[in-house]
């Protein structure tokens, strides 16, 4: 009886293995979660794993919370794929950066100092296109040439320091104009008023001497 049960167990195991396949999932970057779904079974993976799946259509879903990055599965930029385990045994899941472009222009004599979140500084003295990972934070600071002053940014803000979070393609222009300076105004007094103060001063001096 024991031998019969053992044989049945072996046959069942072999039958199950014959109807299933092995998938090796390689997660190549931190912050990635892979969902393997087949039938009513859902597996969640966040590290390299080997899983047994039936020889039928399997859904692979991957996601990340890292802003500015997309999912790539087996060199295809997609976060969801349907696979046939008979044809696919390895899944390489990775992150690819999503780039956006920031166009910086200068209107007038001056330059823009762009400081990135990692501390690097870029000096812009002509129209320049910056390629940035989406979600990148940077600070723009205008610097006028001698004899000129910063007027405003193209969005009409005249606050010198400009913070940007790169989402989508954006254009920004720094506008400079010739420095006019602050005029010095000298108070104007009427001649009659000056004469009156002069007379008062003279009376004060005469009284002081008589004392």
């Amino acid at each position: 009886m024991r031998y019969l049960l053992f044989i049945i167990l072996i046959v069942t195991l072999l039958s199950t293995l014959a109807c299933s396949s092995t998938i090796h999932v390689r997660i190549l970057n931190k912050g990635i979660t892979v969902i393997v779904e087949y039938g009513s079974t859902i597996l969640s993976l966040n590290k390299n794993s080997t899983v047994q799946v039936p020889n039928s259509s399997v859904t692979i879903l991957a996601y990340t919370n890292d802003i500015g990055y997309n999912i790539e599965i087996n060199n295809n930029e997609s976060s969801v794929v349907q696979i046939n385990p008979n044809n696919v045994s390895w899944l390489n899941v990775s992150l690819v950066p999503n780039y956006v472009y920031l166009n910086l222009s200068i209107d007038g004599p001056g330059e823009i100092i762009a400081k990135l979140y990692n501390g690097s500084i870029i000096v812009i003295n002509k129209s320049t296109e910056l390629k940035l990972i989406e979600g990148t934070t940077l600070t723009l600071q205008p610097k006028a040439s001698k004899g000129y002053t910063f007027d405003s940014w193209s969005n009409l803000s005249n606050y010198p320091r400009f913070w940007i979070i790169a989402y989508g393609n954006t254009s920004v222009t720094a506008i400079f104009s010739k420095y006019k300076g602050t005029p010095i105004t000298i108070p104007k007094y009427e001649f009659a008023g000056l004469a009156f103060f002069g007379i008062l001063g003279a009376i004060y001096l005469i009284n002081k001497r008589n004392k």
Side-chain angles (χ1 to χ4, degrees), residues 73-161:
I73 302 177
N74 285 357
N75 297 321
N76 293 315
E77 194 170 327
S78 175
S79 60
V80 181
V81 295
Q82 295 279 345
I83 64 168
N84 184 338
N86 293 315
N87 302 325
V88 179
S89 59
W90 283 91
L91 288 174
N92 295 314
V93 186
S94 59
L95 297 178
V96 291
N98 183 30
Y99 290 107
V100 296
Y101 295 91
L102 174 61
N103 294 289
L104 296 176
S105 302
I106 296 172
D107 184 356
E111 59 189 21
I112 299 173
I113 311 298
K115 186 174 182 179
L116 302 181
Y117 71 98
N118 59 6
S120 59
I121 295 175
I122 304 173
V123 179
I124 310 295
N125 51 27
K126 62 180 180 180
S127 295
T128 303
E129 183 179 73
L130 297 182
K131 184 179 180 181
L132 305 169
I133 295 176
E134 188 175 32
T136 296
T137 302
L138 67 159
T139 304
L140 303 180
Q141 183 82 30
K143 183 180 178 182
S145 298
K146 186 177 180 180
Y148 288 80
T149 185
F150 170 70
D151 261 355
S152 67
W153 299 102
S154 51
N155 67 350
L156 302 181
S157 170
N158 58 5
Y159 190 74
R161 187 166 293 178

Side-chain angles (χ1 to χ4, degrees), residues 37-96:
E37 182 179 356
Y38 55 90
S40 59
T41 302
I42 298 177
L43 303 175
S44 179
L45 312 173
N46 53 25
K47 62 181 180 179
N48 296 342
S49 305
T50 298
V51 296
Q52 290 293 130
V53 296
N55 289 330
S56 58
S57 180
V58 176
T59 301
I60 306 296
L61 167 67
Y63 66 89
T64 179
N65 292 324
D66 290 347
I67 298 174
Y69 290 86
N70 295 329
I71 294 290
E72 187 175 81
I73 302 177
N74 285 357
N75 297 321
N76 293 315
E77 194 170 327
S78 175
S79 60
V80 181
V81 295
Q82 295 279 345
I83 64 168
N84 184 338
N86 293 315
N87 302 325
V88 179
S89 59
W90 283 91
L91 288 174
N92 295 314
V93 186
S94 59
L95 297 178
V96 291

